[in-house]
Amino acid sequence: MKNREQERTEAVEAEGTGIVQRLGRRAFIISTAGAVSGAVLIGLRSSLLIEPQPVNAADAPANVTIVEFGPDGKKTGKVIVAHIVKTDAEWKAQLSPISYEVTRRAGTERAYTGDTWNLHDKGIYHCICCDTALFNSATKFESGTGWPSFWEPIARENVVESHDPSGGMDRTAVSCRRCDAHLGHVFEDGPRPTGLRYCMNSAAMKFVKLA
């Protein structure tokens, strides 16, 4: 027969085992909740972006030539300006999360989620990263895609077009000449007079209204 001391020892051991089991269950619940929260955050990020890819500016020149425009939207002439290069941390500090993902990692915002896809005001669309003028509202048209679309840039000198084979597609990417910010893609299904559709991301641009 067990004496009282043995009974007390077994009771303590049993209680300890129960505590460990409860702590184990609690840790599992907490870790599961953390995993779910992480999945939710990833899902939210995925709901705004499509196929983010790093933007590489390794071979960019020290200076570039762009065309500048005045507050009235009129061309003031060509200028030679310094090519803008910043660290990843500096871009993250300057830009909103969605603008960073689009411009610096070549992401694509989801259709109909941008601020300017349905904007009809008169003005100029500037690069969100360096303020270079990119598109004039006079060339904006309703493409039915859910992204702001233009039939030509405000100045050919202000953008760069390059081959983009990402995502298993053969496309032409459009970026800002001064800072290499990814803007979107250009397609050959636009209206006259160019027949082009510059399908841009709202998150890559800021709109400056003209009087």
Side-chain angles (χ1 to χ4, degrees):
M1 293 181 64
K2 298 179 182 179
N3 56 37
R4 290 185 177 181
E5 184 65 28
Q6 288 177 321
E7 290 177 351
R8 283 198 297 270
T9 300
E10 290 177 358
V12 169
E13 290 175 351
E15 183 177 358
T17 301
I19 291 173
V20 170
Q21 290 176 341
R22 289 195 294 275
L23 288 174
R25 287 195 295 271
R26 181 177 297 177
F28 174 76
I29 293 171
I30 292 173
S31 63
T32 301
V36 171
S37 298
V40 170
L41 289 175
I42 292 172
L44 287 174
R45 180 170 177 264
S46 298
S47 69
L48 295 174
L49 296 165
I50 305 171
E51 300 172 2
Q53 298 290 333
V55 175
N56 186 4
D59 300 322
N63 298 301
V64 295
T65 300
I66 63 172
V67 177
E68 288 193 332
F69 294 80
D72 58 358
K74 293 183 179 180
K75 183 187 300 185
T76 59
K78 292 183 180 181
V79 294
I80 298 176
V81 294
H83 173 250
I84 296 177
V85 178
K86 296 185 179 182
T87 66
D88 195 57
E90 288 173 328
W91 285 125
K92 282 185 176 180
Q94 174 183 329
L95 303 168
S96 68
I98 181 68
S99 291
Y100 167 78
E101 292 290 344
V102 168
T103 61
R104 309 325 306 181
R105 300 191 66 236
T108 301
E109 66 194 14
R110 293 287 177 179
Y112 303 102
T113 64
D115 294 334
T116 59
W117 73 270
N118 198 32
L119 183 65
H120 301 285
D121 293 343
K122 180 180 178 181
I124 306 296
Y125 292 79
H126 293 250
C127 176
I128 194 70
C129 295
C130 69
D131 203 36
T132 297
L134 300 172
F135 295 93
N136 191 313
S137 61
T139 65
K140 193 171 187 285
F141 68 96
E142 292 296 334
S143 63
T145 61
W147 289 283
S149 301
F150 308 83
W151 46 262
E152 74 173 354
I154 196 169
R156 294 284 177 180
E157 295 87 345
N158 292 9
V159 299
V160 175
E161 297 179 12
S162 58
H163 178 236
D164 178 12
S166 66
M169 296 178 282
D170 190 11
R171 299 177 294 175
T172 299
V174 182
S175 59
C176 172
R177 185 175 298 277
R178 189 174 189 188
C179 70
D180 303 302
H182 175 73
L183 306 173
H185 294 85
V186 58
F187 303 92
E188 297 181 350
D189 59 0
R192 294 181 179 180
T194 65
L196 299 175
R197 172 171 60 91
Y198 285 82
C199 188
M200 301 293 100
N201 288 276
S202 292
M205 304 181 295
K206 61 179 179 181
F207 179 73
V208 179
K209 192 173 183 178
L210 297 178

